Amino acid sequence: MNFEKTISPLLALPRIPKRLIVLGVDAGLCTLTVWLAYFLRLGEWVPLSEDRVFPAIVSIALALPIFMAFGLYRTIFRFAGATAFLTTTKATLAYGLVYAAWFTALSSPGVPRTVGIIQPILLLLAVGSTRALAAYWLGGAYRHSLNSRRRDNILIYGAGSSGRQLFGAIANSVDMRVVGFLDDDPTLQNRTLNGLTIHSPENLLAIVERLKVNDILLAIPSAPRSRRNAIIEKLRNAQVGVRTLPGLMDLARGDVQASDIRELEIEDLLGRDIVAPDPGRMRQNTWGKVVLVTGAGGSIGSELCRQILNERPKILLLVESSEFALYAIHRSLNRRLADMGGEGELPRLVPLLASVDNRERIGKVMATWRPNTVYHAAAYKHVPIVEHNPIEGIRNNAIGTLVVALAAIAHQVDDFVLISTDKAVRPTNIMGASKRFAEMILQALAARQDGTRFVMVRFGNVLGSSGSVVPLFRQQIRDGGPVTITHEEITRYFMTIPEAAQLVIQAGAMAKGGEVFVLDMGEPVRIMDLARKMIELSGLILRNRENPAGDIEIKYIGLRPGEKLYEELLIGNNPQKTAHPRIMKASEAYSSWEMLAPVIQRMEAAIATGNVEQAREILKHIVPEYDSADGNVDWIDIERQAAAGQDGQSSPASLAS
């Protein structure tokens, strides 16, 4: 203990002083081993003076540069292992060859030839011994320092290669201490791995209590999502935090690092495996072509750009109205481009600031590059925001789609893919109704002409998008709650952003023109159940009437304007299967262009004059399923009516809750 206290200041020294100390020690060892070599050769102790000091000077002059070249002074001694000692041996052998050649093969006056052989052997033993002692003593002091700190006790679920790598990655962590393993394999249970017992998950609660476990780390990256979901369900009642490693493809790029450990995402709880994309369909509308993506900086738009870039288009046009979002996605794609290898010319990226309802700007973009494929992802999608700003929502979502679609026809675009939403089905809000209006515009244009193939792809919430409930819930849990939910029975469909983007590209390749494709989102998720899972898998206890001493409360704040309890993906009930198991085709009615054109003109006039009531009535007329019980909640109209002294209007502050 006293020795560890003595060397603790050494551990705290900066790197350069530590290296200077080691250099001084090695110089001393060079001198000492020369003296010992003389003793072994002559049988008596002799002073290192006159000619006898010369071999010591040569030893220092040779050894230190050679050791530096082999990287001996970059090693952290307290972590030194077999690899470090092998490097030390190689460096000393290289030194020994030069030293022996000098004093044995060539000789030096007054220096016995055998000194040139004996001294390198002694130096190898001396340097190796000092490294071993340093690893033992310094490592012991370091471990004692770690053990004196407050660290979380960790169980690793999975005793396979990933579990072993994870153990090695966090063995010297200042925050975590592994106290055991869990594994479903009966042949591994009750055996030891790295000196720790492999336990059966069936005894989880007793193990957690006995070992005082704080967290469980899932090291099962190759397990199917259904099995991961079953394991996570087992862990919910253990009142410990549950974290996980990345997927198998992430691990393939290198060994597991402690920094790879991440919080559970909702995709870990979906219980549905992703279908691998079809390379042929992914390339059909992208490989070697000019591809344009609107809303390129958004959640779906940016992932579409990443997936398309992987398929090597000739030119990728990034159209975005937000300067910062365009800068961010362009920078991200440029980094990917720098890492792309393979044969052929690399894709060209063109970042373009443009709003989709700007006819002149969109027309110039189309005329300049004449894209082969357009992915129209630009949309205002946050239901409460669009509900309070209806004119801009309709202008961007519906009229913006019309502008881009007409420009695509005029400049002979081959394929046009609209990113739609489940909120377009029997909409109760402006956002959903405006997206259904956009679908109807494309359906009418598809029936009117044969040049551009229009297709709509409809799906629900994507994980990790701006406004997603998962990061909101996680932050609320970190803050100690409450976790806020609009309604106890509210449900939503969820899909990962990469899977959604891949399916959009594949659906576009399957289009013949005019189809509404619907992505299979699996079963809807009850948001209440999601919040409860996230609380329990954070190692906390839900606070409610049955358990008033719990950690986190769930609070219901009421549905927001235009919000639905349940989302749907189909207007009708007759979806058709396609060649892809995750893509269905809907057969839904639409209006002809001749009927739609005058309605569009009236809508554009209402938008130009800012007439919210007229715009809402037109939307209700053209989208008969649109049913909103909230009335007009446009901020500008509310403020004007309040200023005019009208009674019975709610304030913006109350409507925003």
Side-chain angles (χ1 to χ4, degrees):
M1 182 68 71
N2 290 333
F3 180 76
E4 289 177 350
K5 287 183 178 179
T6 302
I7 64 174
S8 291
L10 288 176
L11 292 174
L13 284 175
R15 184 174 301 171
I16 292 177
K18 287 179 181 176
R19 288 184 177 176
L20 291 175
I21 290 172
V22 177
L23 283 166
V25 169
D26 286 350
L29 291 176
C30 289
T31 305
L32 177 62
T33 51
V34 168
W35 188 42
L36 288 174
Y38 273 110
F39 170 75
L40 293 175
R41 170 64 181 83
L42 302 176
E44 60 179 339
W45 298 106
V46 295
L48 291 180
S49 59
E50 299 177 355
D51 293 340
R52 296 191 188 108
V53 79
F54 180 63
I57 296 172
V58 172
S59 177
I60 295 170
L62 289 177
L64 299 189
I66 290 174
F67 288 178
M68 286 181 185
F70 275 82
L72 262 61
Y73 302 118
R74 293 196 297 269
T75 303
I76 301 175
F77 288 171
R78 63 176 177 268
F79 300 143
T83 303
F85 291 117
L86 180 60
T87 304
T88 301
T89 303
K90 290 178 180 178
T92 311
L93 286 175
Y95 158 80
L97 289 174
V98 179
Y99 195 80
W102 189 318
F103 291 103
T104 302
L106 299 178
S107 79
S108 180
V111 180
R113 291 177 183 270
T114 50
V115 169
I117 298 174
I118 297 171
Q119 193 269 346
I121 297 173
L122 294 175
L123 185 62
L124 173 60
L125 295 173
V127 172
S129 299
T130 55
R131 281 2 180 220
L133 289 172
Y136 177 76
W137 280 323
L138 297 181
Y142 184 70
R143 285 188 292 273
H144 175 75
S145 173
L146 288 181
N147 291 332
S148 64
R149 302 182 189 182
R150 172 70 174 87
R151 291 195 290 166
D152 291 336
N153 289 342
I154 303 295
L155 281 176
I156 295 178
Y157 201 118
S161 60
S162 296
R164 293 193 297 272
Q165 289 182 53
L166 180 57
F167 174 84
I170 63 177
N172 294 296
S173 170
V174 298
D175 301 313
M176 296 177 283
R177 174 174 52 226
V178 180
V179 295
F181 292 85
L182 295 168
D183 204 286
D184 295 318
D185 187 349
T187 63
L188 296 177
Q189 291 166 5
N190 298 318
R191 298 173 66 181
T192 59
L193 175 62
N194 294 326
L196 300 171
T197 304
I198 303 173
H199 302 278
S200 168
E202 300 302 322
N203 306 320
L204 179 62
L205 293 180
I207 295 165
V208 166
E209 184 176 354
R210 177 164 52 86
L211 298 177
K212 298 182 174 15
V213 174
N214 304 97
D215 291 282
I216 295 176
L217 306 183
L218 299 183
I220 47 173
S222 60
R225 184 173 284 168
S226 55
R227 180 173 171 241
R228 291 169 65 87
N229 194 287
I231 290 171
I232 289 168
E233 280 299 313
K234 283 184 188 177
L235 304 179
R236 282 182 60 184
N237 296 325
Q239 296 179 19
V240 295
V242 180
R243 287 181 283 172
T244 187
L245 285 173
L248 200 60
M249 292 306 295
D250 297 315
L251 295 179
R253 290 194 286 266
D255 292 336
V256 176
Q257 303 294 326
S259 58
D260 292 327
I261 300 166
R262 59 172 172 80
E263 300 288 341
L264 283 174
E265 302 288 353
I266 188 178
E267 53 260 42
D268 296 309
L269 313 175
L270 289 179
R272 182 172 63 88
D273 291 318
I274 294 174
V275 175
D278 179 342
R281 291 196 186 103
M282 291 293 290
R283 291 184 173 188
Q284 183 173 318
N285 292 343
T286 55
W287 180 273
K289 296 188 176 183
V290 179
V291 181
L292 184 151
V293 178
T294 69
S299 303
I300 285 293
S302 60
E303 184 60 29
L304 277 171
C305 290
R306 294 183 191 98
Q307 299 285 348
I308 292 165
L309 191 66
N310 292 339
E311 305 304 329
R312 289 182 174 267
K314 181 180 179 182
I315 301 173
L316 179 54
L317 306 172
L318 315 173
V319 174
E320 174 58 59
S321 61
S322 164
E323 180 190 27
F324 177 75
L326 183 62
Y327 163 77
I329 185 59
H330 186 231
R331 186 165 177 256
S332 172
L333 295 178
N334 267 324
R335 287 198 299 267
R336 281 180 173 245
L337 208 57
D339 296 333
M340 286 179 69
E343 299 178 358
E345 187 178 350
L346 289 176
R348 179 183 166 204
L349 300 175
V350 183
L352 297 161
L353 276 173
S355 179
V356 291
D357 62 350
N358 186 330
R359 284 180 168 83
E360 183 179 0
R361 176 69 169 165
I362 294 297
K364 285 182 178 179
V365 169
M366 294 278 193
T368 302
W369 283 279
R370 305 189 71 84
N372 305 103
T373 308
V374 171
Y375 294 96
H376 183 49
Y380 291 149
K381 60 183 180 180
H382 293 282
V383 169
I385 295 294
V386 176
E387 201 69 9
H388 291 305
N389 300 271
I391 290 292
E392 291 307 308
I394 299 169
R395 186 204 307 273
N396 190 74
N397 293 357
I399 305 305
T401 299
L402 173 68
V403 168
V404 181
L406 292 177
I409 293 172
H411 296 95
Q412 301 175 338
V413 169
D414 297 324
D415 294 277
F416 186 108
V417 182
L418 170 68
I419 313 304
S420 192
T421 171
D422 56 356
K423 293 174 178 61
V425 177
R426 282 179 275 278
T428 59
N429 49 66
I430 293 290
M431 195 282 271
S434 63
K435 290 296 284 184
R436 178 57 188 148
F437 191 10
E439 288 182 355
M440 296 175 73
I441 289 170
L442 295 193
Q443 287 175 299
L445 289 174
R448 184 171 178 254
Q449 52 83 53
D450 298 322
T452 300
R453 286 184 291 274
F454 289 100
V455 60
M456 293 125 275
V457 184
R458 189 186 290 161
F459 52 92
N461 298 272
V462 289
L463 305 170
S465 66
S466 55
S468 172
V469 296
V470 177
L472 173 63
F473 285 176
R474 182 169 292 127
Q475 186 59 51
Q476 289 175 336
I477 291 169
R478 287 197 193 105
D479 293 341
V483 172
T484 56
I485 299 176
T486 55
H487 193 282
E488 186 176 3
E489 298 300 324
I490 196 166
T491 65
R492 289 293 181 266
Y493 290 98
F494 288 100
M495 177 176 282
T496 65
I497 294 178
E499 183 181 15
Q502 290 170 1
L503 290 174
V504 165
I505 294 171
Q506 292 173 91
M510 295 163 61
K512 294 181 172 59
E515 296 96 336
V516 176
F517 287 116
V518 178
L519 303 188
D520 177 7
M521 306 285 292
E523 293 298 318
V525 176
R526 190 166 173 251
I527 302 302
M528 169 66 183
D529 294 338
L530 170 62
R532 184 190 296 268
K533 278 186 178 182
M534 291 186 66
I535 291 169
E536 292 171 348
L537 293 171
S538 297
L540 302 171
I541 300 172
L542 177 65
R543 186 195 312 152
N544 52 25
R545 289 180 181 176
E546 292 76 24
N547 192 5
D551 302 300
I552 302 286
E553 175 190 8
I554 293 178
K555 184 178 180 182
Y556 303 105
I557 59 175
L559 292 174
R560 297 169 295 182
E563 191 171 28
K564 295 170 70 174
L565 276 180
Y566 311 102
E567 298 292 1
E568 305 167 89
L569 288 165
L570 295 165
I571 295 175
N573 293 311
N574 54 345
Q576 302 172 26
K577 292 184 177 181
T578 68
H580 196 289
R582 289 280 189 263
I583 302 174
M584 300 177 291
K585 185 169 72 171
S587 299
E588 296 177 353
Y590 61 92
S591 302
S592 67
W593 179 255
E594 288 71 25
M595 179 179 175
L596 209 58
V599 177
I600 293 171
Q601 290 178 352
R602 292 201 303 275
M603 179 63 82
E604 289 184 309
I607 290 172
T609 59
N611 192 326
V612 178
E613 285 297 341
Q614 185 180 4
R616 283 168 54 86
E617 288 305 315
I618 295 170
L619 205 54
K620 287 182 177 180
H621 170 72
I622 199 62
V623 184
E625 304 90 4
Y626 174 34
D627 180 22
S628 174
D630 293 307
N632 179 12
V633 293
D634 177 67
W635 290 135
I636 294 177
D637 273 15
I638 292 170
E639 196 67 26
R640 284 177 174 172
Q641 291 168 9
Q646 292 191 9
D647 297 329
Q649 293 290 340
S650 300
S651 69
S654 65
L655 285 166
S657 63

